[in-house]
């Protein structure tokens, strides 16, 4: 069910000139980047730098005001009018893992995972349940399938959220600070699942404040500041030997707090 790594570079995501404003606040200022198929890209940067908004534009949860974004085989020029079917087709190419789990409280773990494939994708329930059972085993929750979210820890709820995103068979998986709402002792279990997905060759874009995790899991790191990508490269380049003074200041504060 995973997306295997390919030998030739194939870009799963291509974004060009992406802009987004909320009122007078310009959050994204002509952002451009690419994500290769079967790779993990992490987005780091200070609060308010546009990280989450950039991620949400990749799924049109926040519609860009301008720019072109292609995810897999679907491209949208956000400077022109778009129809609801076009946006739905664009959104169907990716799965989104939220900070706060966003599980249905009145549904069991299994019901949460199968909701999208059965209701939205109209796939046969028996087939979806079999796949969901495999996914719950993959994230270490096969024994929790009949429990409800309130019976789970925060880390377990987040792992259900990951399984729910994967159940849609997305070409791209988006993570919005997946550990920010967790107690420190629960962070590791979620990061471990994401690392496994990276090893398996899923295409991932992850907004995170876990710098050491970004260094371990990433093929590409993007450092954002004031609505632009100020620096990009491998983890060794951006985190290990940043070229920009602003990047160095940010990493110094995160890695060596007072």
């Amino acid at each position: 069910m995973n997306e295997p790594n390919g030998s030739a570079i194939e870009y799963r995501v291509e974004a060009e000139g992406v802009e987004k404003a909320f009122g007078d606040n310009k959050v994204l200022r002509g952002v451009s980047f690419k994500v290769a198929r079967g790779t993990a890209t992490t987005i780091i940067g200070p609060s308010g730098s546009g990280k989450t908004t950039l991620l949400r534009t990749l799924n049109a949860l926040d519609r860009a005001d301008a720019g072109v974004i292609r995810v897999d085989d679907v491209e949208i020029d956000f400077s022109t009018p778009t129809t609801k079917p076009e946006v739905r087709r664009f959104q169907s190419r990716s799965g989104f893992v939220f900070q706060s789990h966003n599980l249905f409280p009145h549904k069991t773990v299994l019901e949460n995972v199968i909701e999208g494939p059965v209701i939205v994708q109209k796939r046969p329930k028996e087939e979806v349940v079999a796949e969901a059972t495999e996914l719950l085993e993959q994230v270490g929750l096969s024994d929790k399938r009949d429990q409800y979210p309130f019976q789970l820890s925060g880390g377990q709820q987040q792992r259900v959220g990951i399984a729910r995103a994967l159940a849609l068979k997305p070409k791209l998986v988006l993570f919005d600070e997946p550990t920010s709402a967790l107690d420190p002792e629960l962070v590791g279990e979620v990061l471990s699942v994401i690392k496994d997905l990276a090893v398996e060759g899923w295409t991932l874009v992850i907004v995170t404040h876990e710098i050491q995790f970004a260094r371990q899991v990433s093929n590409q790191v993007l450092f954002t500041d004031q609505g632009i990508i100020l620096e990009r490269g491998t983890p060794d380049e951006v985190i290990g030997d940043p070229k920009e003074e602003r990047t160095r200041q940010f990493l110094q504060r995160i890695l060596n707090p007072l």
Side-chain angles (χ1 to χ4, degrees), residues 13-80:
V13 179
E14 295 185 74
E16 183 68 34
V18 178
E19 299 182 4
K20 178 65 180 177
F22 296 99
D24 294 331
N25 181 23
K26 291 186 177 181
V27 180
L28 300 177
R29 304 169 181 265
V31 172
S32 302
F33 69 100
K34 296 179 180 180
V35 176
R37 176 180 181 265
T39 65
T41 292
T42 52
I43 306 174
I44 64 173
S47 298
S49 63
K51 304 185 300 295
T52 289
T53 299
L54 177 57
L55 191 78
R56 290 171 64 90
T57 63
L58 298 181
N59 188 254
L61 289 170
D62 287 334
R63 293 200 194 188
D65 298 325
V68 177
I69 302 176
R70 182 181 67 80
V71 177
D72 194 44
D73 60 340
V74 182
E75 179 178 288
I76 291 185
D77 183 344
F78 286 94
S79 61
T80 63

Side-chain angles (χ1 to χ4, degrees), residues 66-102:
V68 177
I69 302 176
R70 182 181 67 80
V71 177
D72 194 44
D73 60 340
V74 182
E75 179 178 288
I76 291 185
D77 183 344
F78 286 94
S79 61
T80 63
T82 56
T83 66
K84 287 185 178 179
E86 286 175 327
V87 173
R88 282 197 295 267
R89 185 164 176 259
F90 179 78
Q91 291 177 323
S92 73
R93 296 308 189 262
S94 57
F96 204 100
V97 179
F98 298 87
Q99 287 185 38
S100 54
H101 324 310
N102 281 19

Side-chain angles (χ1 to χ4, degrees), residues 110-124:
L110 181 64
E111 288 169 342
N112 267 279
V113 175
I114 69 173
E115 174 86 5
V118 172
I119 303 300
V120 178
Q121 296 179 336
K122 311 296 184 185
R123 294 175 53 210

